[in-house]
Amino acid sequence: MIKVLFICLGNICRSPLAEALFNHKIKEKGYENFLNCDSCGTSDYHIGELPDERTMASASKNGIKICHRGRQLNRTDFRDFDYLIAMDDSNLSNIKKAANQHKTSAKNLFLMRSFQKNAAFSEVPDPYYGGVDGFQKVYEILDSSLDGFIETLEKNHPELTKK
Ligand code: 4NP
């Protein structure tokens, strides 16, 4: 099983949506027996909470089921996950700091938008303090970035497409 962890700051806006959308896409492709994912935040601000209601609304508007409770990145995540996918530069640096604190290293750590074709920017912007349209924008960025990420997984793991 290839395990992917999507990481943002609060784990209530961007990364739970990335998780839900990834699950939707891999199910459509029939990869659910080979891939799984989770999401978390680098902060402890929203542990145990459901995703932000604007995230829920954007998921349901786009026909995506979302089911997650906020949790914080922890030591075992560095061991248990094969890919760590950060939403922005600040997440990336927090993840590296956490790895150092836990005396480990972050393998296969990438920015989400590094997989987006023709990406205009390198970060998935934090929508928390903005309006509803920011959440739709995040949805669109995640949608195309995840398509690129799944293509990369197909290249890195040929067993996915050999069926
Ligand atoms: P997320 O958004 O990192 O995409 O979940 C945020 C959620 C909460 C906060 C910041 C960003 N906050 O400061 O509480």
Side-chain angles (χ1 to χ4, degrees), residues 23-144:
N23 279 334
H24 181 85
K25 287 177 184 292
I26 63 170
K27 215 165 182 186
E28 260 182 3
K29 288 197 159 245
Y31 295 165
E32 68 269 32
N33 294 331
F34 303 93
L35 287 171
N36 80 23
C37 76
D38 190 13
S39 67
C40 69
T42 57
S43 77
D44 60 3
Y45 305 157
H46 299 282
I47 293 173
E49 291 180 24
L50 287 171
D52 187 287
E53 60 187 30
R54 296 162 296 174
T55 302
M56 300 278 224
S58 130
S60 91
K61 191 177 128 200
N62 291 287
I64 303 299
K65 260 197 229 138
I66 191 160
C67 175
H68 185 75
R69 291 277 177 177
R71 75 167 183 89
Q72 188 175 23
L73 177 68
N74 66 59
R75 166 173 229 294
T76 55
D77 290 328
F78 294 101
R79 179 195 65 200
D80 294 344
F81 288 90
D82 303 296
Y83 292 89
L84 303 179
I85 311 295
M87 300 298 136
D88 65 29
D89 292 330
S90 152
N91 308 148
L92 201 68
S93 96
N94 288 334
I95 294 163
K96 287 177 187 164
K97 262 186 239 158
N100 275 336
Q101 278 163 4
H102 295 307
K103 299 194 171 18
T104 181
S105 61
K107 62 186 168 200
N108 288 335
L109 172 60
F110 300 100
L111 274 175
M112 176 65 101
R113 287 188 90 167
S114 66
F115 300 106
Q116 187 185 32
K117 295 203 176 98
N118 308 312
F121 298 97
S122 62
E123 303 187 300
V124 184
D126 182 347
Y128 187 62
Y129 292 105
V132 172
D133 40 327
F135 283 77
Q136 183 58 28
K137 183 79 199 156
V138 164
Y139 179 90
E140 286 160 18
I141 292 168
L142 292 176
D143 189 34
S144 55

Side-chain angles (χ1 to χ4, degrees), residues 8-16 45-46 91 126-129:
C8 61
L9 175 63
N11 193 212
I12 53 169
C13 299
R14 293 164 292 176
S15 64
Y45 305 157
H46 299 282
N91 308 148
D126 182 347
Y128 187 62
Y129 292 105

